[in-house]
Every structure is written in structure tokens, then in C-alpha cells.
Amino acid sequence: MTAPDPEQALRQTGWPGFRARLFHLYFVLRRPMTLGVRGLIHDRPSNSVFLIRHTYVPGWHLPGGGVELGETMIEALTREVFEEGNIALTGPPVLKSLHFNRRASRRDHVGLYLVEEFDQPTPKLPDREIAEAGFFPLDRLPEGTTPATLRRIAEVLEGNSVSPYW
């Protein structure tokens, strides 16, 4: 008997899943390949990371999103971490890895950046996209942190080997 797939528990169903598939179809038709960014926001003094919980997909994730037409990956990262976390980059992020996100589609790629120089003047308040957000100590990550998020944290902060897949 094979072990249950931990990603399957986070698969969207019903209206949210249908909406997510519609958005993805829109981007597939608009762009033959999609490129995204995620930020591993690491607060070294407290040994904590910033995670978000969306209103439209389950689980806790690293902040990030799609790179728009005419936008660099760092511009997209800067925009996304500000929108999703009220976090402003105060130093250069470090590109740690690139991943093929085959669970999203056969066309999706994600760049992972480590961010250790930042400012968050006020905590991120919930809105239509972000249900919850905050810093969590590495030894007390919230229940429901996605397997991909856990893998990225282990790769960057614990030195685990980097997977080519998200």
C-alpha cells in the first residue's frame, strides 16, 4: 500500500478549485510558460520565517506570485511581498533555486529568493486575498504548512539538497 500524498490534502475542490483552474487556464492561454517568484523571508534574530494563508487555497505558503509581462523577477518579488506581507526589501534578495511546478501545470516555473534584509512597519492585516500572515519560529511552524514550503525552508536554511520540482 502506498503512503497518502500529502499534497492531495491541499488540493482545491468545489468553487475555489474551479476558480483556481479558471485562473490557471487564463494564464496558460495568455502565456505559454508561467514564471513565479516566492520569498523565503527569514528573520535571523528570531529564527523565524514569514508565511501566509490565502483565502482561496488551503495551507500556509511562502509569499509570492506571478511575474508580470515587462517585470523582472526581483520587481515581482518586491511587489508580491509588499502586497502579501507589508514587507519592504531593504537589501538585495538572493536567488536560491529555480523549480518546475509540475503540480500547477506543465508550464509553471518558480524562482525562490532568500530575503534577510527587510522592513515590516506594521503586521499584514487580512484582506480579500490573505486570510492570515505572520512570522513563525522555525521550530513551531503552523499546522497546515504545505509540503513544498517545508521543503524550500529545509533546502535553504538546513542545507538539504535542492529538488528541481516545487
Side-chain angles (χ1 to χ4, degrees):
M1 183 169 147
T2 61
D5 181 359
E7 302 275 357
Q8 191 63 32
L10 299 173
R11 187 148 321 259
Q12 283 294 104
T13 59
W15 170 246
F18 180 70
R19 183 176 69 173
R21 285 190 296 280
L22 277 178
F23 279 125
H24 189 76
L25 177 61
Y26 167 77
F27 286 114
V28 165
L29 295 175
R30 265 194 96 219
R31 303 177 197 148
M33 185 183 91
T34 56
L35 178 62
V37 291
R38 294 280 179 158
L40 176 49
I41 315 293
H42 181 225
D43 182 43
R44 194 175 286 276
S46 67
N47 200 30
S48 61
V49 294
F50 185 78
L51 299 175
I52 59 171
R53 191 173 64 77
H54 289 100
T55 58
Y56 54 90
V57 292
W60 288 89
H61 303 263
L62 299 170
V67 178
E68 298 297 331
L69 190 62
E71 188 175 50
T72 68
M73 290 176 69
I74 291 177
E75 289 169 342
L77 178 70
T78 301
R79 175 180 49 77
E80 289 288 346
V81 299
F82 184 76
E83 289 173 2
E84 294 184 349
N86 197 34
I87 292 173
L89 304 184
T90 59
V94 178
L95 179 63
K96 298 305 281 186
S97 53
L98 292 169
H99 304 268
F100 173 39
N101 189 3
R102 62 185 174 186
R103 289 199 178 269
S105 82
R106 295 178 302 164
R107 309 164 186 263
D108 192 43
H109 296 79
V110 180
L112 176 68
Y113 285 87
L114 175 62
V115 176
E116 293 186 305
E117 297 177 49
F118 62 90
D119 182 45
Q120 187 188 42
T122 59
K124 171 64 178 169
L125 298 176
D127 59 27
R128 289 182 299 138
E129 181 185 5
I130 305 300
E132 293 181 82
F135 282 92
F136 297 90
L138 287 171
D139 61 351
R140 291 190 311 276
L141 296 176
E143 186 176 327
T145 300
T146 67
T149 299
L150 294 172
R151 287 191 299 270
R152 302 299 80 82
I153 291 169
E155 290 166 359
V156 174
L157 300 178
E158 298 171 18
N160 287 11
S161 61
V162 176
S163 171
Y165 303 102
W166 186 256

